[in-house]
Amino acid sequence: DGGITQSPKYLFRKEGQNVTLSCEQNLNHDAMYWYRQDPGQGLRLIYYSQIVNDFQKGDIAEGYSVSREKKESFPLTVTSAQKNPTAFYLCASSMEGTTVHFGNGTRLTVT
Amino acid sequence: AQSVAQPEDQVNVAEGNPLTVKCTYSVSGNPYLFWYVQYPNRGLQFLLKYITGDNLVKGSYGFEAEFNKSQTSFHLKKPSALVSDSALYFCAVRGPPLRASGGSYIPTFGRGTSLIVHP
């Protein structure tokens, strides 16, 4: 089955540690996205990439970094500079101009 | 800039009754409109979209949405609600492709509306 795989589903880290969230898609989509979801705030765009080796900052990129070395993969690193990293993180992908499809998310808890 | 408003944080409806989840939007050019549903601790699932054509769009699980250009609205509807429809619903909008300027296709999402269907 084609889809978007995010791993792990739950992630726990100590404050001050960097952590990388995995996102892999086998839909052959060109564009990939990372969103952050907090209760009552909807989805906020962190980073997006329209093509391999290129990515753009979204609305809340501070404290995050990404890479797009392969078409299938778009990992997100939450750095220690992110002040409030505890959240539900959603990865998504789409072909140019079509419906965005989502993974099942990673819930990150930083204590 | 494009934006989406979902004016209700929560909608309560009795099972078997019709439901409406409201969405209004603002975008330059013709809108591309989407509805998604999210169950607890899961990603968003696509329900339906409007790009062009008939103003009434039919989607998954018996849902439909009506595009109203004059009111800039795209309300989600279902004639008879089920308890299993209880979930978080997101409306999203994006503008037409901006190929000449190399623009992106990034949709903007609303804050979400929690639908609760009572038995």
Side-chain angles (χ1 to χ4, degrees):
Chain A
D1 279 342
I4 302 169
T5 301
Q6 291 188 243
S7 60
K9 188 172 178 63
Y10 298 97
L11 192 53
F12 299 88
R13 281 293 183 270
K14 294 291 187 184
E15 193 173 320
Q17 293 179 333
N18 291 355
V19 59
T20 297
L21 282 59
S22 170
C23 178
E24 302 279 332
Q25 56 100 357
N26 60 4
L27 299 168
N28 199 33
H29 285 170
D30 291 314
M32 297 188 74
Y33 317 81
W34 274 105
Y35 289 92
R36 170 179 171 142
Q37 184 178 17
D38 297 281
Q41 295 199 47
L43 274 66
R44 292 183 290 170
L45 183 66
I46 304 173
Y47 268 99
Y48 65 97
S49 168
Q50 292 179 274
I51 197 169
V52 174
N53 292 322
D54 185 55
F55 48 82
Q56 305 295 329
K57 292 182 179 180
D59 301 318
I60 56 163
E62 186 175 350
Y64 299 97
S65 66
V66 294
S67 64
R68 187 84 187 276
E69 297 176 0
K70 298 186 300 182
K71 187 175 185 177
E72 303 79 23
S73 179
F74 192 41
L76 173 74
T77 297
V78 184
T79 75
S80 56
Q82 167 52 231
K83 299 303 181 189
N84 297 293
T86 294
F88 190 51
Y89 290 88
L90 288 162
C91 180
S93 70
S94 72
M95 287 298 288
E96 187 175 281
T98 64
T99 304
V100 175
H101 296 268
F102 286 83
N104 278 327
T106 292
R107 187 166 296 281
L108 173 64
T109 302
V110 177
T111 57
Chain B
Q2 59 196 32
S3 65
V4 173
Q6 293 182 243
E8 302 152 316
D9 290 334
Q10 184 171 302
V11 170
N12 291 278
V13 63
E15 187 173 32
N17 283 0
L19 70 87
T20 299
V21 182
K22 295 179 180 178
C23 171
T24 58
Y25 66 89
S26 174
V27 70
S28 298
N30 293 323
Y32 288 49
L33 294 155
F34 306 84
W35 275 103
Y36 290 82
V37 60
Q38 185 183 35
Y39 297 99
N41 293 312
R42 302 296 297 273
L44 276 66
Q45 295 178 34
F46 169 73
L47 278 178
L48 52 80
K49 66 181 176 184
Y50 171 85
I51 296 177
T52 187
D54 194 348
N55 289 346
L56 185 63
V57 180
K58 294 189 182 296
S60 306
Y61 312 121
F63 283 93
E64 57 190 27
E66 187 167 12
F67 170 63
N68 187 317
K69 187 172 184 177
S70 63
Q71 297 186 3
T72 60
S73 67
F74 190 56
H75 301 330
L76 181 70
K77 301 182 180 184
K78 187 173 183 181
S80 178
L82 300 172
V83 172
S84 58
D85 292 330
S86 299
L88 191 57
Y89 290 80
F90 289 94
C91 181
V93 68
R94 68 165 180 84
L98 301 172
R99 290 187 180 276
S101 63
S104 67
Y105 303 88
I106 312 299
T108 298
F109 288 83
R111 291 190 164 205
T113 298
S114 178
L115 173 66
I116 299 174
V117 181
H118 302 277

